[in-house]
Coordinates of all heavy atoms in Angstrom, one line a residue:
E1 N -0.7 -2.7 3.2 CA -1.9 -3.3 2.5 C -2.6 -2.3 1.6 O -3.2 -2.6 0.6 CB -2.8 -3.9 3.5 CG -2.2 -5.1 4.2 CD -2.0 -6.2 3.2 OE1 -2.8 -6.4 2.2 OE2 -1.0 -6.9 3.3
L2 N -2.7 -1.1 2.0 CA -3.4 -0.1 1.3 C -2.8 0.2 0.0 O -3.4 0.4 -1.1 CB -3.3 1.3 2.0 CG -4.1 2.5 1.3 CD1 -5.5 2.2 1.0 CD2 -3.9 3.8 2.3
L3 N -1.4 0.1 -0.1 CA -0.8 0.3 -1.4 C -1.0 -0.8 -2.3 O -1.3 -0.8 -3.5 CB 0.7 0.4 -1.2 CG 1.7 0.5 -2.5 CD1 1.3 1.6 -3.5 CD2 3.2 0.5 -2.1
L4 N -0.9 -2.1 -1.8 CA -1.1 -3.3 -2.5 C -2.5 -3.4 -3.0 O -2.7 -3.9 -4.2 CB -0.7 -4.5 -1.6 CG 0.8 -4.6 -1.2 CD1 1.0 -5.8 -0.3 CD2 1.8 -4.7 -2.3
S5 N -3.5 -3.0 -2.2 CA -4.8 -3.1 -2.6 C -5.2 -2.0 -3.6 O -6.1 -2.2 -4.6 CB -5.8 -3.1 -1.5 OG -5.7 -1.9 -0.7
S6 N -4.5 -0.8 -3.6 CA -4.8 0.3 -4.3 C -4.1 0.2 -5.8 O -4.6 0.7 -6.8 CB -4.4 1.6 -3.8 OG -5.1 1.8 -2.5
N7 N -3.0 -0.4 -5.9 CA -2.2 -0.6 -7.1 C -1.7 -2.0 -7.2 O -0.5 -2.2 -7.0 CB -1.0 0.6 -7.0 CG -0.4 0.5 -8.5 OD1 -0.7 -0.1 -9.4 ND2 0.7 1.4 -8.6
P8 N -2.6 -3.0 -7.3 CA -2.2 -4.3 -7.3 C -1.3 -4.7 -8.4 O -0.6 -5.8 -8.3 CB -3.5 -5.0 -7.3 CG -4.4 -4.2 -7.9 CD -4.0 -2.8 -7.5
I9 N -1.3 -4.0 -9.5 CA -0.6 -4.4 -10.8 C 0.9 -4.0 -10.6 O 1.8 -4.9 -10.8 CB -1.2 -3.7 -12.1 CG1 -2.6 -4.3 -12.3 CG2 -0.3 -4.0 -13.3 CD1 -3.4 -3.7 -13.4
H10 N 1.1 -2.8 -10.3 CA 2.5 -2.3 -10.4 C 3.0 -2.2 -8.9 O 4.2 -2.1 -8.7 CB 2.6 -0.8 -10.9 CG 2.2 -0.8 -12.4 ND1 3.0 -1.6 -13.4 CD2 1.4 -0.2 -13.1 CE1 2.5 -1.5 -14.6 NE2 1.5 -0.6 -14.4
K11 N 2.1 -2.0 -8.0 CA 2.6 -2.0 -6.5 C 3.6 -0.9 -6.2 O 4.5 -0.9 -5.5 CB 3.1 -3.4 -6.1 CG 2.3 -4.5 -6.2 CD 3.0 -5.8 -5.9 CE 2.1 -7.0 -5.9 NZ 1.6 -7.3 -7.4
K12 N 3.3 0.3 -6.9 CA 4.3 1.5 -6.8 C 3.4 2.7 -6.4 O 2.2 2.7 -6.5 CB 4.9 1.7 -8.2 CG 5.7 0.6 -8.7 CD 6.5 1.1 -9.9 CE 5.7 1.6 -11.0 NZ 6.5 2.0 -12.3
I13 N 4.2 3.6 -5.9 CA 3.6 5.0 -5.5 C 4.0 5.9 -6.7 O 4.9 5.5 -7.5 CB 4.3 5.5 -4.2 CG1 5.8 5.3 -4.2 CG2 3.6 4.8 -3.1 CD1 6.6 6.5 -3.9
P14 N 3.3 7.0 -6.8 CA 2.2 7.5 -6.0 C 0.9 6.9 -6.3 O 0.7 6.4 -7.5 CB 2.2 9.0 -6.3 CG 2.6 9.1 -7.7 CD 3.7 8.0 -7.8
V15 N -0.1 6.9 -5.4 CA -1.4 6.5 -5.6 C -2.3 7.8 -5.0 O -2.1 8.1 -3.9 CB -1.8 5.2 -5.0 CG1 -3.2 5.0 -5.0 CG2 -1.0 4.1 -5.4
L16 N -3.2 8.2 -5.9 CA -4.1 9.2 -5.4 C -5.5 8.5 -5.2 O -5.9 7.7 -6.0 CB -4.3 10.2 -6.5 CG -5.3 11.4 -6.1 CD1 -4.6 12.3 -5.2 CD2 -5.8 12.1 -7.3
L17 N -6.0 8.7 -4.0 CA -7.2 8.0 -3.7 C -8.3 9.3 -3.6 O -8.1 10.1 -2.8 CB -7.2 7.5 -2.3 CG -6.3 6.2 -2.2 CD1 -6.0 5.7 -0.8 CD2 -6.8 5.1 -3.1
H18 N -9.3 9.1 -4.5 CA -10.4 10.2 -4.6 C -11.7 9.6 -4.4 O -12.0 8.7 -5.1 CB -10.2 11.0 -5.9 CG -11.2 12.1 -6.0 ND1 -11.8 12.6 -7.2 CD2 -11.8 12.9 -5.1 CE1 -12.5 13.5 -7.0 NE2 -12.7 13.8 -5.7
N19 N -12.3 9.8 -3.3 CA -13.6 9.4 -2.9 C -13.5 7.9 -2.9 O -14.4 7.1 -3.4 CB -14.7 9.8 -3.8 CG -14.9 11.2 -3.5 OD1 -14.9 11.8 -2.5 ND2 -15.3 12.0 -4.7
G20 N -12.4 7.2 -2.4 CA -12.2 5.8 -2.4 C -11.7 5.1 -3.6 O -11.4 4.0 -3.7
K21 N -11.5 5.9 -4.7 CA -11.1 5.3 -6.0 C -9.7 5.6 -6.2 O -9.2 6.8 -6.0 CB -12.0 5.8 -7.2 CG -13.4 5.4 -7.2 CD -14.2 6.1 -8.3 CE -15.7 5.6 -8.2 NZ -16.5 6.2 -9.3
A22 N -8.9 4.6 -6.7 CA -7.5 4.8 -6.8 C -7.1 5.1 -8.2 O -7.6 4.6 -9.1 CB -6.6 3.5 -6.4
I23 N -6.2 6.2 -8.3 CA -5.6 6.6 -9.7 C -4.1 6.6 -9.5 O -3.6 6.9 -8.5 CB -5.9 8.1 -10.0 CG1 -7.5 8.3 -10.0 CG2 -5.5 8.3 -11.3 CD1 -8.1 8.8 -8.8
V24 N -3.4 5.7 -10.5 CA -2.0 5.5 -10.4 C -1.3 6.1 -11.6 O -1.9 6.4 -12.6 CB -1.8 4.0 -10.3 CG1 -2.5 3.4 -9.0 CG2 -2.3 3.2 -11.5
E25 N 0.0 6.1 -11.5 CA 0.9 6.6 -12.5 C 0.9 8.1 -12.4 O -0.2 8.7 -12.7 CB 0.6 6.0 -13.8 CG 0.8 4.5 -13.9 CD 2.2 4.0 -13.7 OE1 3.2 4.5 -14.2 OE2 2.4 3.0 -12.9
S26 N 2.1 8.7 -12.0 CA 2.1 10.1 -11.7 C 1.6 11.0 -12.9 O 0.9 12.0 -12.5 CB 3.5 10.5 -11.2 OG 4.4 10.5 -12.3

């Protein structure tokens, strides 16, 4: 659920969470 909520568009890793904010695409 963490991945799906953090990257709902691509649903891929990696995801960096910084102070609760998600940054995606390596």
Side-chain angles (χ1 to χ4, degrees):
E1 287 301 319
L2 180 58
L3 174 59
L4 296 175
S5 63
S6 300
N7 191 1
I9 295 177
H10 298 299
K11 303 178 178 63
K12 297 191 303 182
I13 49 128
V15 175
L16 184 78
L17 297 168
H18 183 207
N19 293 327
K21 296 180 179 179
I23 304 96
V24 301
E25 301 296 314
S26 64

